[in-house]
Amino acid sequence: MATQVRPVAGESPAARYERVRGLSRALAAPLSDADATVQPMPDASPAKWHLAHTTWFFETFVLRDHLPGYRAYDESYAYLFNSYYEGEGDRHPRAERGMIARPSLDEVRAWRAAVDAALLGAIGDLPADIIALGLNHEQQHQELMLT
């Protein structure tokens, strides 16, 4: 069971965001593009997909919906990295996530960095409750990456 994001005493919302997102980066740091793309079974998504999906969550439900003028990093990512949010449109089949060769792991990392920079640049103007929900969601995906 995922734990909720608990603030460290005196930790700012930006520091909390960076701490949780940073753990995902650390978990994936030793992985090559091939390592992060492998899907060992239909119900276990690749590490690259987890990194991208949580980024899609923040880009979609925080930046797109609450930061005026924000434009998606790459429109095609919505199809690839949506999971079960039917209201957000079609999505790549779960059992075939290991067949997503592009974007590469480095491209996913660059997208994460761009989304993180945009979110951190406006964090005081964005809904704290949705950011907290996203961070809890990120922690769930960290657990999935470890299993």
Side-chain angles (χ1 to χ4, degrees):
M1 173 177 276
T3 59
Q4 286 192 332
V5 177
R6 298 188 195 286
V8 173
E11 183 179 47
S12 69
R16 184 175 324 132
Y17 179 87
E18 290 182 286
R19 176 174 50 87
V20 173
R21 294 278 284 173
L23 179 56
S24 296
R25 283 191 308 274
L27 290 172
L31 301 177
S32 70
D33 187 58
D35 294 334
T37 303
V38 171
Q39 183 172 11
M41 59 185 273
D43 291 333
S45 297
K48 179 173 74 174
W49 188 89
H50 290 294
L51 295 170
H53 168 70
T54 55
T55 301
W56 170 83
F57 181 96
F58 283 108
E59 184 175 64
T60 301
F61 299 115
V62 179
L63 296 174
R64 181 199 70 189
D65 290 355
H66 299 283
L67 185 61
Y70 182 82
R71 298 183 60 98
Y73 187 86
D74 186 317
E75 296 287 339
S76 69
Y77 291 179
Y79 172 78
L80 293 173
F81 303 117
N82 181 2
S83 59
Y84 53 84
Y85 299 90
E86 292 181 10
E88 290 299 323
D90 292 334
R91 56 206 176 276
H92 187 80
R94 179 180 183 170
E96 297 174 13
R97 290 175 181 167
M99 299 184 75
I100 299 172
R102 295 281 184 259
S104 69
L105 179 58
D106 285 343
E107 290 168 321
V108 168
R109 287 174 171 146
W111 175 36
R112 283 179 65 91
V115 166
D116 289 347
L119 195 146
L120 288 167
I123 199 164
D125 299 322
L126 298 170
D129 59 336
I130 299 174
I131 293 171
L133 178 67
L135 292 174
N136 289 329
H137 190 66
E138 180 98 13
Q139 288 182 313
Q140 291 172 332
H141 283 274
Q142 290 166 353
E143 290 177 354
L144 291 169
M145 283 194 289
L146 291 169
T147 57

